[in-house]
Amino acid sequence: MECLMRKIMTNPVTGEEIERRSLACIDAGNMRGNLSDNEWILARRLVHTTADLALPPLLRFHGQWEEAGAQALRRKAPIYCDSNMIASGLSIARLREIHPDYSRQDVHVLVADPEVARLSKESGLPRSFHAVQACAPWLDGAICLFGNAPVGLAELMRLHLEEGIRPAWVAAMPVGFVHVVESKEEFLESALDGVALTGLRGGSPLAVASLHALCTIAKARP
């Protein structure tokens, strides 16, 4: 049997061409359903990220998700991440296509902060809870990305309901089995703008892909 790498070396294909072919495969899969153009941009990006063909029907686009997200990016809203993986995966180059002054300093993740860890040990609550609390003073108008921490998402919802904090855009995509479905349902019952992936699926790559897709949408909007 011929080695796969030898075949690739004989007929090289660029990364850009691989992405083009991959997106063409997704488009040919008849998964779009009734999604609008911009909804499909985001859904397709998530499918491309995970190769999970079951994702599109699980997406819920909430409120004025397109305009609210685009406006937040245009004014360089700070970005809250519930994991270091999300923060590391975000492309500053993509963000700068919408606002040239975006930098790593605008991307915040406190889940590994020593003070957050100390408070978590004392309270018995997850670090994600205390990380959201620590950022509460500036979460109003922020972009919030949740791919891992349903308790963090639940705390954001509490801050919204009880203290009036209103983030500009939320990706509600924590993955797991405990508090995951309920935290997403709370977001979908709120008046906040953003996108959720219902059920147990989620994860850092999906949260990252959602914001990158939002950058594509914002770049195309007048």
Side-chain angles (χ1 to χ4, degrees):
M1 183 176 68
E2 185 180 357
C3 172
L4 174 61
M5 195 62 237
R6 289 295 179 188
K7 292 181 179 179
I8 294 172
M9 292 169 66
T10 302
N11 298 287
V13 180
T14 66
E16 291 79 6
E17 176 62 14
I18 290 173
E19 179 175 356
R20 188 194 68 77
R21 291 185 187 180
S22 298
L23 294 175
C25 289
I26 295 169
D27 288 337
N30 296 319
M31 292 174 285
R32 176 167 175 168
N34 294 321
L35 296 178
S36 70
D37 289 346
N38 284 338
E39 289 171 348
W40 180 236
I41 287 174
L42 194 147
R44 185 173 67 162
R45 179 56 56 185
L46 267 58
V47 173
H48 180 258
T49 298
T50 61
D52 188 342
L53 307 182
L55 290 183
L58 302 178
L59 283 167
R60 299 292 181 270
F61 299 90
H62 199 50
Q64 302 299 313
W65 73 275
E66 298 167 75
E67 185 59 27
Q71 290 295 336
L73 289 170
R74 289 192 187 110
R75 60 177 172 77
K76 197 169 76 77
I79 301 171
Y80 176 85
C81 306
D82 76 348
S83 73
N84 285 302
M85 188 178 294
I86 293 176
S88 298
L90 290 178
S91 168
I92 300 302
R94 286 180 186 264
L95 293 170
R96 285 176 176 166
E97 289 179 349
I98 314 305
H99 195 296
D101 293 337
Y102 260 118
S103 73
R104 282 290 165 196
Q105 284 65 49
D106 299 302
V107 180
H108 306 270
V109 54
L110 271 70
V111 70
D113 181 80
E115 179 64 10
V116 166
R118 183 188 69 79
L119 291 170
S120 175
K121 187 174 181 180
E122 289 182 356
S123 69
L125 290 163
R127 286 180 295 167
S128 60
F129 166 81
H130 292 287
V132 170
Q133 282 208 325
C135 296
W138 57 264
L139 288 178
D140 198 83
I143 293 170
C144 296
L145 307 178
F146 291 89
N148 302 271
V151 174
L153 178 58
E155 172 59 6
L156 181 68
M157 292 301 98
R158 187 196 67 79
L159 290 171
H160 172 60
L161 293 170
E162 297 182 4
E163 301 184 26
I165 291 175
R166 187 182 181 94
W169 198 82
V170 178
M173 300 185 177
V175 62
F177 298 92
V178 180
H179 307 312
V180 167
V181 173
E182 300 93 326
S183 67
K184 295 173 181 179
E185 289 176 348
E186 280 198 343
F187 165 70
L188 291 173
E189 291 169 1
S190 76
L192 298 179
D193 302 304
V195 60
L197 187 69
T198 59
L200 303 177
R201 286 180 172 89
S204 296
L206 292 175
V208 171
S210 295
L211 189 60
H212 287 172
L214 183 63
C215 288
T216 299
I217 293 166
K219 186 178 179 181
R221 292 176 72 87

